[in-house]
């Protein structure tokens, strides 16, 4: 049986094969048309590339820009002052808020309310709908001040930002954040108090960017299978992953040491809960939610925690914010005729990895991007199969719907995953 | 339900694109609480499960350009049942960044990205929506301005439409009192040749416009473009980068000026 995936970004389908009442296979099909990003950035100047890759994804463009700028800065040895780098990370956290708010309240919540969409909330709990829409507007307004607009922000460049917020901008942002936190807490209360969030054992090993704080930006990757972490450098990412292309299909699948794994809020929350903002941790744990989350369908809890964590981090940043001078380093071509530029960032959905080979004219020769969704697809399929096999014949009618819910819990970003496939080079 | 106004059916579909404009629609709906009362959203895969499709759609918003035969069939089918069709965003209006591959051998493009290119079914061309069906209104932008979408949704329900004012980004800088980054600081800026509507975001951040709302389709021709490219070159943006930047967000209008666009 086949079901069109809805309330996800992009176009996909779930395909469930049933034989004599038993589920024998689950496949997530990407029906999104490819846009060939790895091809079109070739020959383009790196400044243009930063803007172009932002167009891969309408939900997490800042993640793309931040990953690309960091990759180019590292290989061209461009120093970014600490306050500039911090501001960029803050813009990126604002995107995490926006992306998660859309997923929690518009895409995921209807699953727990048995509604086709969140707009139906208007009839039964109009305040809930009104306030979640207001929260989205506030999140977008914060993006407007920091980046110029909600999507394809214009304030990130190789070497830093174009314009740091002014003192009066900071005052406005603090006000917006306080309003957002106030609106968010009762909404979060509703989500954290839901009684029907599944709690079975339904998970896989985890992978995060490993650093001092809550996973965000780092050059190290940690893989967790049970308690033990294996840590490796982001430069080795492509070497340690096994990549498979399913026969006749567009999507590539990733494994680490022969296993599927999970990236994103579920992995971050379960490995790094202690590093969440104290107030966010207290808030979530007061509802009894603590790591480890056992079931991937509990990811909504991790997203709620991350929204609050990010808002609080933004608040703290702007309460102590002092505007700084615009910093514009010269971008000098590298000495070698080919430079390898690699970086990774924790996008809203997990580890986003970019690799560019550039020439002495600062033009891209080759590009490879590994997206969070592409890494999660295999886990989504295997977990759906596991769940459906557990249910046996009882699953037959609900199989596609159950799979869709497991898939949706990951907040897949299909526009990203379709064309962003490992290139052969 | 609401005195004086009929509830309209609204459908939103996505072709080759990033969903950025879809999210601007979501933002527009979020910004005006009452808008949701005026529309019956019958298709919007990102936000709702598929409900029963009506025989007629009052307002259809299309994000994205077409890159497969299947997508062309889909938009043709939707055109037949839709009263008013809007090409929403740079991909739908101009082709979008994916149009940067136009002119290159599609087999080579496929083979560059995919290990098994024979399974990839895409067209030679990337087509803006009006290359496939007739379009009633164009709203440019990468992404579209959410206020433009909110304005359309508000006016459409009362049987009206927004009026597009043909002007460049420069007009927006003047109105907002933004110092010209090109004249004052010598920063290359595509504002003079780019259609307005964004609110001059880039100049307000002290940088040059990079043309993401698309080339003006009035008051310009190839010789003016060449002269302007020379100005930019003097300020440090070489012709190659200029062309790359313009093509990425204005493929349709650019190729019309170059006389290579055939509908």
């Amino acid at each position: 049986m086949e079901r069109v995936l809805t309330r996800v970004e992009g176009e996909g389908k779930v395909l469930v094969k049933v034989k004599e009442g038993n589920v024998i296979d689950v496949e997530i099909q990407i029906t999104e048309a490819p846009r060939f990003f790895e091809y079109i950035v070739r020959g383009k100047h790196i400044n243009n590339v930063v803007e172009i890759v932002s167009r891969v994804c309408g939900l997490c463009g800042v993640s793309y820009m931040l990953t690309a700028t960091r990759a180019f800065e590292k290989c061209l040895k461009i120093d970014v002052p600490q306050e500039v780098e911090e501001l960029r990370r803050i813009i990126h956290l604002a995107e995490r808020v926006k992306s998660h708010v859309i997923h929690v309240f518009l895409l995921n919540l209807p699953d727990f309310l048995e509604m086709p969409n969140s707009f139906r909330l208007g009839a039964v709990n109009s305040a809930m709908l009104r306030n979640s829409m207001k929260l989205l507007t506030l999140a977008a307004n914060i993006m407007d001040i920091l980046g110029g607009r909600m999507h394809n922000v214009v304030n990130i460049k190789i070497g830093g930002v174009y314009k740091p917020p002014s003192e009066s901008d900071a005052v406005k942002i603090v006000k917006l954040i306080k309003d957002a936190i106030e609106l968010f807490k009762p909404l979060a209360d509703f989500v954290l108090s839901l009684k029907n969030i599944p709690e079975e054992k339904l998970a896989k090993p985890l992978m995060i960017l490993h650093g001092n704080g809550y996973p965000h930006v780092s050059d190290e990757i940690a893989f967790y299978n049970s308690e033990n972490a294996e840590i490796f450098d982001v430069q080795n990412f492509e070497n340690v992953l096994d990549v498979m292309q399913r026969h006749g299909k567009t999507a590539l699948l990733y494994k680490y040491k022969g296993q599927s794994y999970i990236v994103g809020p579920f992995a971050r929350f379960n490995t790094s809960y202690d590093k969440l903002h104290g107030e966010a941790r207290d808030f979530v744990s007061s509802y009894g939610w603590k790591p480890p989350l056992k079931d991937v369908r509990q990811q909504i809890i991790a997203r709620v925690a991350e929204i609050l964590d990010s808002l609080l981090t933004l608040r703290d940043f702007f309460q102590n914010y002092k505007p700084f001078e615009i910093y514009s380093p010269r971008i000098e071509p590298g000495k070698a005729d080919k430079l390898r530029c690699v970086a990774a960032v924790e996008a809203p959905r997990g580890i986003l990895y970019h690799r560019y080979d550039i020439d002495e004219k600062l033009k891209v020769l080759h590009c490879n991007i590994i997206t969070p969704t592409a890494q999660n697809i295999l886990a989504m399929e295997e977990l759906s199969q596991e769940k459906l096999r557990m249910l046996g014949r009882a699953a037959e009618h609900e199989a596609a719907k159950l799979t869709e819910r497991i898939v949706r819990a990951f907040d897949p970003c299909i526009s990203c995953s379709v064309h962003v496939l490992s290139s052969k080079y | 339900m609401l005195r004086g106004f009929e509830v309209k059916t609204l459908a939103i579909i996505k072709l080759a694109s990033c969903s950025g404009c879809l999210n601007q629609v979501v933002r527009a709906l979020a910004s005006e609480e009452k808008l949701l009362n005026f529309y019956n959203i019958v298709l919007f895969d990102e936000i709702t499960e598929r409900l029963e499709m009506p025989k007629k759609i009052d307002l259809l918003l299309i994000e994205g350009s077409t890159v497969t035969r299947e997508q062309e069939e889909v938009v043709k089918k939707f055109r037949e049942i839709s009263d008013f069709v809007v090409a929403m965003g740079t991909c739908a209006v101009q082709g979008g960044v994916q149009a940067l591959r136009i002119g290159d051998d599609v087999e080579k493009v496929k083979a560059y990205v995919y290990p098994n290119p024979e399974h990839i079914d895409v067209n030679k061309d990337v087509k803006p929506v009006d290359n496939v069906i007739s379009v009633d209104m164009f709203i440019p932008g990468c992404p579209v301005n959410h206020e433009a979408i909110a304005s359309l949704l508000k006016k459409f329900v009362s049987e009206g439409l927004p009026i597009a004012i043909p002007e460049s980004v420069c007009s927006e800088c003047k109105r907002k009192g933004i110092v010209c980054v090109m004249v004052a600081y010598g920063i290359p800026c595509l504002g003079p040749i780019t259609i307005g509507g964004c609110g001059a975001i880039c100049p307000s951040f002290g940088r040059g416009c990079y043309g993401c709302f698309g080339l003006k389709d009035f008051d310009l021709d190839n010789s003016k473009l060449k002269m302007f490219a020379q100005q930019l070159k003097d300020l440090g943006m070489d012709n190659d980068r200029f062309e790359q930047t313009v093509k990425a967000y204005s493929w349709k209008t650019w190729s019309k000026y170059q006389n290579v666009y055939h509908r």
Side-chain angles (χ1 to χ4, degrees):
Chain A
M1 62 188 85
E2 206 181 85
R3 187 177 170 98
V4 174
L5 281 167
T6 57
R7 280 188 279 122
V8 299
E9 191 290 317
E11 293 175 50
K13 274 182 192 165
V14 267
L15 211 68
V16 181
K17 285 181 197 136
V18 183
K19 198 177 174 187
E20 289 161 11
N22 289 308
V23 171
I24 52 166
D25 196 22
V26 178
E27 193 192 305
I28 296 159
Q29 278 196 345
I30 306 293
T31 48
E32 179 95 20
R35 291 190 288 151
F36 304 103
F37 271 86
E38 296 89 337
Y39 180 83
I40 62 179
V41 299
R42 286 171 78 204
K44 306 295 181 295
H45 190 277
I46 56 173
N47 281 333
N48 286 34
V49 170
V50 173
E51 314 285 8
I52 291 172
V53 294
S54 173
R55 270 81 189 170
V56 172
C57 175
L59 280 163
C60 55
V62 177
S63 305
Y64 278 83
M65 297 181 92
L66 187 60
T67 313
T69 49
R70 280 183 58 79
F72 296 133
E73 286 157 5
K74 280 199 305 183
C75 67
L76 294 168
K77 303 199 166 39
I78 295 169
D79 259 341
V80 181
Q82 201 190 338
E83 71 259 28
V84 182
E85 177 61 16
E86 269 177 35
L87 175 63
R88 261 195 332 203
R89 292 183 188 192
I90 283 292
I91 301 175
H92 184 241
L93 277 190
E95 174 180 83
R96 194 181 271 180
V97 173
K98 174 203 74 176
S99 177
H100 281 0
V101 165
I102 291 177
H103 191 258
V104 169
F105 297 105
L106 288 167
L107 311 190
N108 203 184
L109 190 57
D111 280 340
F112 303 104
L113 306 175
E114 300 293 336
M115 287 179 179
N117 59 56
S118 280
F119 300 144
R120 291 286 168 95
L121 259 174
V124 290
N125 189 344
S126 59
M128 177 95 194
L129 174 63
R130 192 167 54 242
N131 289 341
S132 49
M133 294 301 243
K134 266 191 202 160
L135 180 65
L136 174 59
T137 304
L138 290 176
N141 291 344
I142 296 169
M143 298 286 294
D144 286 349
I145 299 177
L146 293 173
R149 52 187 172 191
M150 178 173 91
H151 174 44
N152 292 337
V153 303
V154 307
N155 201 19
I156 289 180
K157 67 173 180 185
I158 298 170
V161 296
Y162 286 92
K163 194 181 92 178
S166 65
E167 221 154 313
S168 68
D169 287 338
V171 172
K172 277 186 219 153
I173 294 172
V174 169
K175 169 84 173 70
L176 285 168
I177 293 166
K178 283 189 172 158
D179 291 350
I181 292 173
E182 205 172 296
L183 262 179
F184 177 64
K185 281 191 171 169
L187 295 170
D189 171 89
F190 183 91
V191 175
L192 298 176
S193 311
L194 285 168
K195 295 282 181 277
N196 58 345
I197 303 178
E199 196 167 9
E200 294 162 29
K201 203 174 167 338
L202 204 61
K204 291 279 176 190
L206 310 172
M207 204 185 275
I208 57 159
L209 287 186
H210 169 79
N212 293 327
Y214 195 75
H216 191 184
V217 177
S218 168
D219 294 334
E220 279 184 340
I221 295 177
F223 173 82
Y224 289 83
N225 195 0
S226 73
E227 292 292 296
N228 303 324
E230 289 170 40
I231 293 169
F232 54 90
D233 196 284
V234 68
Q235 299 279 348
N236 294 330
F237 196 44
E238 286 178 70
N239 303 332
V240 300
L241 292 183
D242 309 318
V243 191
M244 305 166 297
Q245 183 181 21
R246 203 180 273 139
H247 181 71
K249 298 291 186 318
T250 52
L252 294 197
L253 306 169
Y254 295 91
K255 281 186 181 180
Y256 177 77
K257 293 193 174 165
Q259 313 172 73
S260 65
Y261 61 93
I262 294 172
V263 296
F266 187 78
R268 296 193 290 253
F269 184 90
N270 276 359
T271 57
S272 315
Y273 172 82
D274 292 342
K275 295 169 182 168
L276 280 168
H277 195 291
E279 280 181 52
R281 215 167 44 219
D282 292 347
F283 184 78
V284 177
S285 65
S286 71
Y287 292 84
W289 290 108
K290 279 189 182 142
L293 300 173
K294 292 189 203 74
D295 190 317
V296 288
R297 290 166 294 181
Q298 295 169 329
Q299 296 200 58
I300 193 166
I301 304 301
R303 282 194 193 90
V304 163
E306 289 191 350
I307 291 172
L308 192 53
D309 170 77
S310 305
L311 285 172
L312 292 163
T313 308
L314 275 149
R315 184 197 65 189
D316 294 353
F317 179 85
F318 282 108
Q319 272 174 347
N320 302 306
Y321 174 77
K322 291 269 171 297
F324 48 84
E325 289 294 300
I326 299 171
Y327 168 79
S328 294
R330 261 192 77 79
I331 301 172
E332 303 284 356
K335 289 198 178 67
D337 55 1
K338 184 174 152 184
L339 276 178
R340 176 151 288 202
C341 314
V342 169
V345 159
E346 283 278 355
R349 291 153 194 77
I351 299 170
L352 171 65
Y353 166 92
H354 289 199
R355 189 245 306 159
Y356 302 92
D357 295 333
I358 62 172
D359 66 13
E360 73 287 354
K361 289 184 181 132
L362 300 174
K363 290 186 173 168
V364 169
L365 296 165
H366 295 300
C367 159
N368 186 20
I369 297 176
I370 300 175
T371 68
T373 298
Q375 294 172 76
N376 278 334
I377 282 182
L378 201 57
M380 293 178 205
E381 290 181 346
E382 288 182 4
L383 291 169
S384 302
Q385 277 168 21
E386 251 172 58
K387 172 72 192 153
L388 295 175
R389 281 195 188 125
M390 266 191 289
L391 287 172
R393 282 175 176 273
E396 202 184 344
H397 295 294
E398 294 285 287
K401 197 173 162 190
L402 268 167
T403 306
E404 188 183 27
R405 290 196 173 180
I406 290 171
V407 170
R408 196 180 285 130
F410 283 87
D411 189 12
C413 198
I414 299 172
S415 293
C416 296
S417 65
V418 57
H419 38 71
V420 186
L421 305 171
S422 177
S423 75
K424 291 185 295 179
Y425 302 90
Chain B
M1 182 178 181
L2 289 147
R3 249 180 310 156
F5 298 112
E6 248 176 79
V7 171
K8 306 272 188 193
T9 52
L10 170 65
I12 297 147
I13 60 170
K14 175 187 176 312
L15 306 165
S17 58
C18 78
S19 302
C21 294
L22 301 185
N23 292 318
Q24 297 294 97
V25 176
V26 174
R27 185 176 179 184
L29 292 169
S31 67
E32 298 275 345
E33 202 188 313
K34 293 201 178 76
L35 272 179
L36 281 171
N37 300 333
F38 294 109
Y39 287 97
N40 175 21
I41 302 174
V42 291
L43 186 72
F44 189 175
D45 280 347
E46 193 189 66
I47 294 298
T48 177
E49 278 170 31
R50 288 194 178 177
L51 308 165
E52 206 183 321
M53 273 295 285
K55 293 198 172 63
K56 186 178 122 342
I57 292 164
D58 295 320
L59 177 60
L60 173 70
L61 308 180
I62 303 178
E63 178 197 271
S65 42
T66 64
V67 301
T68 65
R69 274 187 303 271
E70 201 189 336
Q71 285 177 329
E72 292 185 12
E73 294 315 309
V74 166
V75 287
K76 282 178 190 162
K77 196 188 89 194
F78 273 96
R79 172 72 263 191
E80 277 173 27
I81 59 166
S82 301
D83 250 15
F84 196 81
V85 176
V86 177
M88 174 176 70
T90 293
C91 296
V93 176
Q94 294 281 359
V97 289
Q98 56 268 30
L100 282 168
R101 73 169 170 86
I102 293 179
D104 296 350
D105 178 354
V106 67
E107 294 309 319
K108 281 189 186 152
V109 176
K110 289 199 278 190
Y112 179 75
V113 180
Y114 292 93
N116 298 337
E118 65 279 12
H119 299 303
I120 311 297
D121 184 22
V122 290
N123 295 346
K124 187 166 76 56
D125 278 337
V126 176
K127 292 181 186 171
V129 174
D130 72 334
N131 204 334
V132 183
I133 55 167
S134 67
V135 168
D136 301 305
M137 186 174 211
F138 299 89
I139 303 185
C142 186
V144 281
N145 186 330
H146 66 281
E147 287 170 0
I149 298 297
S151 165
L152 166 71
L153 293 176
K154 274 187 272 186
K155 286 170 179 152
F156 187 82
V157 83
S158 53
E159 310 291 335
L161 287 171
I163 298 164
I165 299 166
E167 59 177 23
S168 66
V169 174
C170 295
S171 320
E172 306 205 76
C173 275
K174 300 291 167 287
R175 272 201 296 279
K176 288 193 160 182
I178 298 167
V179 175
C180 178
V181 295
M182 191 140 83
V183 173
Y185 310 117
I187 297 170
C189 177
L190 268 53
I193 57 167
T194 300
I195 208 155
C198 63
I201 304 172
C202 287
S204 77
F205 276 78
R207 62 177 289 191
C209 161
Y210 61 94
C212 73
F213 271 54
L215 272 179
K216 293 195 295 186
D217 52 3
F218 50 88
D219 202 20
L220 263 187
D221 56 41
N222 211 14
S223 68
K224 284 182 184 168
L225 272 177
K226 277 194 178 134
M227 276 157 59
F228 188 66
Q230 185 56 45
Q231 287 288 313
L232 294 175
K233 194 178 171 192
D234 295 344
L235 296 173
M237 180 188 262
D238 64 42
N239 285 345
D240 190 29
R241 265 197 74 195
F242 170 69
E243 208 167 295
Q244 285 178 5
T245 312
V246 170
K247 273 185 179 167
Y249 307 100
S250 310
W251 182 81
K252 183 174 77 184
T253 309
W254 168 259
S255 49
K256 273 182 183 161
Y257 286 135
Q258 309 298 310
N259 282 323
V260 292
Y261 180 80
H262 299 290
R263 200 179 144 178

